[in-house]
Amino acid sequence: MIELTGVSKYFGPFKALDDIKLTVRTGERVVVCGPSGSGKSTMIRCINRLEEHDEGKIVVDGIELGEDTQNIRAVRQDVGMVFQQFNLFPHLTVLENLTIGPIRVRKMEKAKAEALARQYLDRVHIPEQAGKYPAQLSGGQQQRVAIARSLCMEPRIMLFDEPTSALDPEMINEVLDVMVELAGTGMTMVVVTHEMGFARKVADRMVFMESGRIVEVAPPAKFFSDPDSDRARLFLDQILEH
């Protein structure tokens, strides 16, 4: 479903990604972790061309991401993304935030789009919030709206870029619970997160990054009990203490 081959990315002289090789199969849940500045968010943003890679090849669902804007548009229609910040339109209601994409991009009729939006608000357990504005919601509710908004585009792949990092601690689990449920549907997912409990529960594979490189890829049982690299071991010691 996703294939990165020899992918590198520069910000000026700084090499943010260094020869990344990664394959994600259909229906697979991959959790990406590592210290801050290791390239995790840059890699995931390259998968739907929010960042443009400088070297190598990225193929998503059979479509190569290059200069062709039609290809980029086609990939983005199949790839949903949830960010650290919720990026909801503050002047639109929850229902309007969810329907704007299907109506404008997929040319869906308003009634059908609203029915779809209510279906996904049910899935993220906040159907009663449809008529409210983002400022009237808690952070956890806003992030669940953001997940539902992505699902309304009916993507084949979901990307999550540290979706709980901006939330108060008591709101984190309500978002993670929704993500666990989504993982149970067989959705292809790539999740950048420090939430190791979530990773143990849903990941098919763990990817550990440092300094723009993939240092280790392993099943969760192996990664958490006996990582191959000293760097991964140190990272786990530090993060699991907290």
Side-chain angles (χ1 to χ4, degrees):
M1 187 62 88
I2 302 170
E3 188 170 8
L4 285 75
T5 310
V7 172
S8 295
K9 166 71 180 172
Y10 296 85
F11 292 108
F14 175 68
K15 198 169 192 178
L17 295 177
D18 186 1
D19 193 27
I20 295 290
K21 297 180 182 69
L22 180 67
T23 300
V24 179
R25 295 181 289 276
T26 302
E28 190 174 25
R29 284 108 20 152
V30 173
V31 171
V32 183
C33 64
S36 295
S38 58
K40 310 181 297 295
S41 292
T42 301
M43 181 179 77
I44 207 171
R45 289 170 67 86
C46 284
I47 292 172
N48 69 346
R49 198 64 167 185
L50 289 176
E51 295 287 356
E52 187 175 332
H53 60 289
D54 295 307
E55 296 169 358
K57 184 174 169 183
I58 300 176
V59 179
V60 180
D61 199 13
I63 301 171
E64 183 172 355
L65 280 174
E67 297 302 321
D68 190 321
T69 55
Q70 280 191 313
N71 281 3
I72 294 169
R73 197 175 301 119
V75 165
R76 285 182 179 162
Q77 286 202 11
D78 274 343
V79 179
M81 186 153 182
V82 178
F83 301 86
Q84 297 175 33
Q85 304 299 328
F86 321 124
N87 296 331
L88 301 174
F89 294 112
H91 63 291
L92 300 181
T93 65
V94 166
L95 192 65
E96 289 166 340
N97 266 283
L98 267 60
T99 57
I100 190 171
I103 290 170
R104 290 196 178 178
V105 178
R106 294 203 179 273
K107 310 303 180 189
M108 194 179 288
E109 292 177 4
K110 184 180 178 184
K112 186 178 178 185
E114 287 186 352
L116 189 68
R118 291 185 189 280
Q119 173 189 324
Y120 284 119
L121 286 174
D122 270 335
R123 171 161 315 169
V124 301
H125 310 298
I126 47 171
E128 71 286 354
Q129 308 296 349
K132 291 186 179 177
Y133 290 89
Q136 296 173 283
L137 305 180
S138 70
Q141 289 171 330
Q142 289 188 61
Q143 192 60 295
R144 284 187 280 165
V145 171
I147 293 170
R149 179 183 56 185
S150 287
L151 292 173
C152 279
M153 295 299 288
E154 303 194 300
R156 301 188 64 198
I157 301 164
M158 283 287 282
L159 308 176
F160 294 86
D161 185 8
E162 301 201 35
T164 60
S165 65
L167 298 178
D168 293 333
E170 65 270 19
M171 296 174 184
I172 289 172
N173 281 339
E174 66 185 66
V175 173
L176 292 178
D177 287 347
V178 165
M179 292 170 63
V180 169
E181 286 181 29
L182 183 60
T185 68
M187 173 74 74
T188 305
M189 296 170 66
V190 182
V191 184
V192 173
T193 185
H194 289 300
E195 299 292 341
M196 295 297 102
F198 167 82
R200 286 179 194 266
K201 193 177 292 186
V202 308
D204 295 307
R205 279 187 301 156
M206 298 295 300
V207 174
F208 178 73
M209 294 183 69
E210 185 187 36
S211 302
R213 299 183 70 91
I214 292 178
V215 176
E216 188 164 344
V217 179
K222 170 79 167 66
F223 181 75
F224 286 109
S225 65
D226 185 27
D228 288 332
S229 64
D230 290 340
R231 188 62 190 88
R233 196 170 294 117
L234 176 62
F235 172 80
L236 288 171
D237 285 346
Q238 290 173 333
I239 201 164
L240 295 176
E241 278 178 8
H242 296 88

